[in-house]
Amino acid sequence: MTNSKKLKWGILSTANIAKGKLIPAIHASNSSMVYGVASRNLAQAEKFAQETNIPNAFGSYQALLDDPSIDIIYNPLPNHLHVPWTIKAIEAGKHVLCEKPIGLDVAEVEQLIAVADKHPQLKIMEAFMYRFHPQWTLAKQLIEAGEIGTVHTIDAAFTFHNVDPENVRNMPNIGGGGMMDIGCYCISATRFLLGKEPKKVMGSLVMDTNFGVDKHANAILDFGDVKTSFFCSTQSESSQRVYIVGETGSLTIEYPFYQPDDCQAELTVRHDQVKTVHKVENCDQYVFQVDALANAVNNKLATPTPLTDALANMKVIDGIFASDKKQNWVVL
């Protein structure tokens, strides 16, 4: 970083992802510090602030946005509040890191982009933290270097088991369901690896009749010369994997999205029966995400993951939902 101003972050809510991942990452970062946290209940915000070593607590989200000391807002609110409160943060002059998916549908993301375009000095980024892990940089390098030849297909899976009716992922009116929560990762990863957008998609969902959200989803993305597929589920054994098959070899990413704390990232390349394992340094991808956004802010660089990328990902999500209803391919 050529400009080393330590940026002050405000945390919009006391969400678990903030407490468990993002706040520790900001504390560990050399580029940033946590300045304050907001809750709709001041006592809850003060308790959370004490538990997470944050110096300031706010009794409303707007009060946090109104504090002129804050540079960046982290928005981990439920999905239906991503766009409304990110827009409020932009209008308050703040940069924003917003959890995925950044909107409920394409129309919402386009609304957000329209506001963001009026404030080009602000960096607004969707929080796909996995892209900042060096294993993904290495995976792209291996593919581009021809290590497995021309890529023919990519298959991804991301699953966990959650049947808690009070969990936001199981609430249909606020953007719940597996596609929005984890299917978005599978889509993002495929687009990232191939460096282009699918032409059409086909999706099939299994709905939970009690919750009213998708509990299983299968999808095919047609990129023209490459077809990819994925499975996501909120009611299956926890698992994750990305498997890339090429003309002369294959590449497997065993922990593509969430790295267990005690696990070293590994990429496995196979050529017939010969296996090569590439070990990747232990790291905190959330710290890398924080530093990347702070670097863009401090040095007036392009946003690491721009809103155009968020829009492209949401187009695929919308297409998969539409395909399930039509029971046919949907052209994007």
Side-chain angles (χ1 to χ4, degrees), residues 5-10 33-36 55-56 58 63-73 92-95:
K5 175 191 173 185
K6 204 157 191 176
L7 299 177
K8 295 178 179 177
W9 288 65
M33 62 172 287
V34 189
Y35 175 86
N56 299 287
F58 298 82
L64 180 94
L65 299 184
D66 290 340
D67 192 308
S69 299
I70 295 173
D71 301 298
I72 304 180
I73 296 296
K94 313 298 186 186
H95 308 280

Side-chain angles (χ1 to χ4, degrees), residues 45-330:
E46 290 173 339
K47 181 176 181 291
F48 185 90
Q50 185 175 21
E51 292 172 347
T52 54
N53 193 29
I54 298 176
N56 299 287
F58 298 82
S60 73
Y61 300 151
Q62 190 62 51
L64 180 94
L65 299 184
D66 290 340
D67 192 308
S69 299
I70 295 173
D71 301 298
I72 304 180
I73 296 296
Y74 173 56
N75 181 354
L77 292 165
N79 293 341
H80 70 303
L81 298 177
H82 284 175
V83 166
W85 280 100
T86 296
I87 287 176
K88 289 178 184 292
I90 293 170
E91 291 172 342
K94 313 298 186 186
H95 308 280
V96 183
L97 176 66
C98 182
E99 270 304 328
K100 37 47 59 185
I102 209 165
L104 294 178
D105 52 31
V106 166
E108 263 211 334
V109 180
E110 289 177 337
Q111 177 191 7
L112 174 59
I113 290 174
V115 175
D117 284 347
K118 297 176 182 178
H119 303 267
Q121 77 281 11
L122 298 177
K123 311 299 177 184
I124 316 300
M125 189 169 87
E126 187 174 30
F128 274 121
M129 76 298 175
Y130 81 90
R131 289 195 179 182
F132 300 92
H133 196 294
Q135 70 172 342
W136 283 92
T137 303
L138 176 58
K140 275 204 94 164
Q141 288 173 345
L142 291 171
I143 290 171
E144 291 171 358
E147 183 68 21
I148 62 172
T150 302
V151 173
H152 288 165
T153 190
I154 300 173
D155 182 62
F158 198 0
T159 64
F160 61 82
H161 198 275
N162 181 339
V163 291
D164 177 8
E166 300 300 316
N167 191 283
V168 294
R169 294 162 184 82
N170 292 322
M171 299 179 181
N173 296 328
I174 63 173
M179 270 296 306
M180 296 290 275
D181 190 50
I182 50 179
C184 61
Y185 281 99
C186 299
I187 296 165
S188 173
T190 298
R191 295 175 44 254
F192 176 69
L193 287 173
L194 295 177
K196 55 185 178 181
E197 305 301 335
K199 300 176 183 297
K200 59 182 180 178
V201 297
M202 178 178 284
S204 178
L205 310 179
V206 177
M207 306 299 290
D208 184 290
T209 54
N210 293 320
F211 299 144
V213 299
D214 56 292
K215 62 180 179 180
H216 311 306
N218 292 83
I220 300 172
L221 280 58
D222 186 343
F223 290 82
D225 54 339
V226 182
K227 311 292 189 294
T228 72
S229 62
F230 74 84
F231 172 68
C232 69
S233 171
T234 59
Q235 294 186 29
S236 297
E237 180 185 23
S238 293
S239 67
Q240 52 175 307
R241 191 184 78 147
V242 171
Y243 179 55
I244 307 121
V245 178
E247 183 179 7
T248 61
S250 66
L251 172 61
T252 303
I253 309 174
E254 292 291 352
Y255 291 101
F257 307 119
Y258 282 98
Q259 283 287 321
D261 292 336
D262 58 350
C263 176
Q264 183 174 30
E266 294 181 352
L267 304 181
T268 302
V269 175
R270 287 182 172 85
H271 298 100
D272 293 327
Q273 302 303 312
V274 179
K275 180 174 75 172
T276 303
V277 177
H278 298 264
K279 296 184 181 294
V280 182
E281 64 187 90
N282 287 334
C283 64
D284 187 334
Q285 58 193 352
Y286 290 91
V287 175
F288 287 173
Q289 176 181 239
V290 166
D291 285 342
L293 182 54
N295 185 40
V297 170
N298 273 328
N299 295 300
K300 297 180 172 56
L301 303 176
T303 305
T305 306
L307 287 178
T308 51
D309 184 87
L311 179 62
N313 218 57
M314 187 55 67
K315 285 180 179 179
V316 180
I317 294 173
D318 277 7
I320 290 170
F321 281 121
S323 172
D324 178 67
K325 290 180 180 179
K326 290 177 59 177
Q327 297 188 4
N328 207 340
W329 288 96
V330 167

